[in-house]
Amino acid sequence: MSTFLSAASSAPLNRRGFLAATGALTLASTLSACGGSGGSGSGGSSAKAVSQADIDKAMKTPTELVFWTWVPNIDKEVALFQAKYPAIKVKVVNAGQGVTHYTKLRTALKAGSGAPDAVQIEYQAIPTFTITDSLLDLRPYGAAKLKDTFVDWTWGQVSGANGEVFAIPQDTGPMGMLYRKDIFDKHRIDVPTTWDEFAAAARKLHKADPNVYLTNLAANEAAAWHGLLWQAGAKPYALSGKSDITISVDDAVSRKLGDYWGGLAREGVIGTEPDFADSWYAALNKGKYATWITAAWGPSFLSGSAKATAGHWRAAPLPQWDAAKPSAGNWGGSTTAVVKGTKNPIAAALFAQFLNSDPASAKMFATEQFFFPATKALLGDASFTGDAPSFYGGQKVNQVFADVSSTVSPTFQWPPFLDQAATDWTETVGKSLADKTDTVRALGAWQTRLTGYAKKQGFTVTS
């Protein structure tokens, strides 16, 4: 059976369309604000289980659900649900992507009308809506039973401090490294397994060929930076309750990254140009960059965007800070949540759970939309992991990222004002990379700006 990689040639080249579909938008474009208030309705947040009789009744009661999503052709997965629950009709609405999607949702929630029953939401956006009490706790509807269905770290992303289940994982973006085997072979460079080896390779390669860089760390990509923080074991944000937050984007771990990447940028041995721009696409096709630090959606995207390089690329885990303790971060992925004000909480909860946990639906996401799976079963399915696309020289790339997924930490948290965190990063840390100035110092500026913003929003901040 084909996988998201074997069909990669049909992957769209438009960056926003592809990344929105995979839930892998840059952080700066995911949210427009963190204000608003959740609607009220029959969907309470109590963990008291709904009776089986009520569930049976809801399954047979004619109902129409409104589902907001940016996922292309998701009608196919929705049809599977409607075939099993013919009394429940689902109206799929594309309310936009990125900022547009979240702005419309926040506006509807604040108005108390016009919100959907179920909604597509990225992992990093969940705190923005849970802090306003806008998402339904799905435990009463049986969601907790699905915990072992999904990769452990994804469950941590959708769970609340008190055990709430605010969404059901749909797809993921565990981070790895795509590299040009031909360039590595030409310059006798071994695939780096540690970041020290990576730095040495960057210097060796650029010295041998000043027109080639080992990689490009985009100065506009706060999402990738957060993924690297995640891999390194950083805890940049920790929300306690709804008004206390710890912000640590300038701690020892962050400074280690700042010194490392800032140093390579100042040496001029890595690129820092904006990614997903025309020049970046051209650079990949011409062999300017020998690696791409990316996520599990990257292989599909690259094979459609750098066709001139077919057969030359391979995949590997990220280099490690501690080779004895393999770890990875995540970049991208999304979930299905239920809006707390829905008048049909049981039907909506059934839909969110089925859409992402039903084996046929989960596999369809991997083969139709080229999503990287969140379910353990699919990540262990030989028909998925065994695919060997010619673009990657016959390598089983899905298996590489499936293995990586098991090393993602489940404890990483996001702030409820991620848009501001991304904007401030771009204007401080990102700018330092582009300008080849002191990145460690820029981390301090990021910390100061973000702390000031949080306090103005009424948060009590510690660092």
Side-chain angles (χ1 to χ4, degrees):
M1 177 174 289
S2 64
T3 73
F4 86 120
L5 289 180
S6 61
S9 61
S10 64
L13 299 187
N14 177 271
R15 183 251 187 170
R16 175 163 291 278
F18 182 86
L19 296 192
T22 60
L25 288 166
T26 58
L27 300 189
S29 66
T30 58
L31 306 174
S32 62
C34 67
S37 58
S40 60
S42 57
S45 61
S46 171
K48 183 179 180 181
V50 173
S51 71
Q52 186 60 48
D54 286 340
I55 293 176
D56 293 341
K57 181 179 178 181
M59 291 167 54
K60 299 175 182 178
T61 300
T63 305
E64 180 177 274
L65 299 175
V66 176
F67 175 40
W68 285 8
T69 177
W70 57 77
V71 177
N73 303 315
I74 201 172
D75 288 337
K76 296 181 179 180
E77 286 87 352
V78 171
L80 295 176
F81 172 79
Q82 292 183 149
K84 184 170 183 178
Y85 302 106
I88 304 174
K89 305 302 180 184
V90 180
K91 181 180 179 181
V92 176
V93 176
N94 187 334
Q97 300 172 357
V99 170
T100 301
H101 174 87
Y102 292 117
T103 298
K104 288 183 178 179
L105 178 59
R106 185 172 59 90
T107 299
L109 291 169
K110 190 172 184 178
S113 64
D117 298 284
V119 62
Q120 192 92 17
I121 187 166
E122 294 157 288
Y123 294 108
Q124 64 265 27
I126 290 175
T128 299
F129 294 99
T130 58
I131 199 171
T132 58
D133 201 26
S134 301
L135 302 183
L136 185 68
D137 180 2
L138 300 177
R139 286 179 298 173
Y141 311 94
K145 296 178 182 178
L146 296 176
K147 179 178 180 180
D148 292 336
T149 299
F150 298 97
V151 180
D152 294 345
W153 69 264
T154 65
W155 204 252
Q157 290 284 293
V158 301
S159 299
N162 297 312
E164 303 94 337
V165 179
F166 289 119
I168 306 298
Q170 184 167 104
D171 65 304
T172 65
M175 293 180 70
M177 182 179 72
L178 302 180
Y179 67 95
R180 286 284 299 268
K181 184 178 185 299
D182 58 330
I183 295 176
F184 275 38
D185 289 347
K186 178 181 178 180
H187 295 284
R188 298 182 179 179
I189 294 174
D190 294 328
V191 179
T193 59
T194 68
W195 286 115
D196 284 343
E197 292 175 357
F198 186 91
R203 297 180 182 108
K204 176 181 179 180
L205 176 60
H206 193 61
K207 181 178 181 180
D209 187 344
N211 295 316
V212 180
Y213 299 83
L214 186 61
T215 201
N216 180 67
L217 185 69
N220 66 327
E221 198 62 80
W225 185 267
H226 278 80
L228 293 171
L229 284 174
W230 194 333
Q231 187 218 13
K235 299 290 187 293
Y237 318 104
L239 185 65
S240 178
K242 294 185 177 182
S243 61
D244 297 332
I245 189 168
T246 299
I247 300 176
S248 304
V249 297
D250 185 31
D251 63 354
V253 178
S254 300
R255 291 176 185 176
K256 177 173 69 175
L257 261 67
D259 182 63
Y260 180 85
W261 289 106
L264 292 177
R266 289 194 300 277
E267 286 182 51
V269 297
I270 64 168
T272 59
E273 69 176 303
D275 57 5
F276 303 104
D278 290 344
S279 60
W280 181 80
Y281 287 115
L284 288 175
N285 274 285
K286 293 178 180 179
K288 180 179 179 180
Y289 301 119
T291 74
W292 182 23
I293 304 300
T294 185
W297 43 264
S300 181
F301 184 84
L302 184 66
S303 62
S305 303
K307 294 181 180 180
T309 62
H312 296 316
W313 291 90
R314 301 292 187 273
L318 287 179
Q320 298 294 308
W321 293 108
D322 183 350
K325 299 178 181 178
S327 64
N330 183 75
W331 173 7
S334 61
T335 71
T336 306
V338 175
V339 172
K340 195 173 181 182
T342 177
K343 295 180 180 179
N344 304 292
I346 298 177
L350 285 174
F351 171 70
Q353 293 175 67
F354 176 94
L355 187 67
N356 301 315
S357 66
D358 177 77
S361 184
K363 178 165 281 192
M364 190 174 287
F365 278 123
T367 58
E368 294 288 335
Q369 285 88 8
F370 317 127
F371 283 3
F372 198 78
T375 64
K376 293 177 180 178
L378 195 48
L379 288 174
D381 186 339
S383 68
F384 176 77
T385 59
D387 187 60
S390 59
F391 187 90
Y392 292 94
Q395 183 187 21
K396 296 179 181 179
V397 177
N398 287 350
Q399 183 66 66
V400 173
F401 282 94
D403 292 341
V404 166
S405 184
S406 67
T407 69
V408 177
S409 168
T411 61
F412 192 86
Q413 295 184 40
W414 301 101
F417 37 77
L418 186 59
D419 56 326
Q420 190 66 37
T423 297
D424 287 345
W425 181 89
T426 302
E427 295 177 357
T428 56
V429 181
K431 188 175 187 301
S432 77
L433 293 169
D435 295 345
K436 296 180 172 55
T437 55
D438 191 339
T439 299
V440 173
R441 183 176 181 180
L443 288 169
W446 184 25
Q447 174 81 29
T448 298
R449 287 179 55 158
L450 197 53
T451 297
Y453 176 84
K455 288 180 177 178
K456 288 181 180 179
Q457 301 304 310
F459 288 92
T460 299
V461 183
T462 56
S463 59

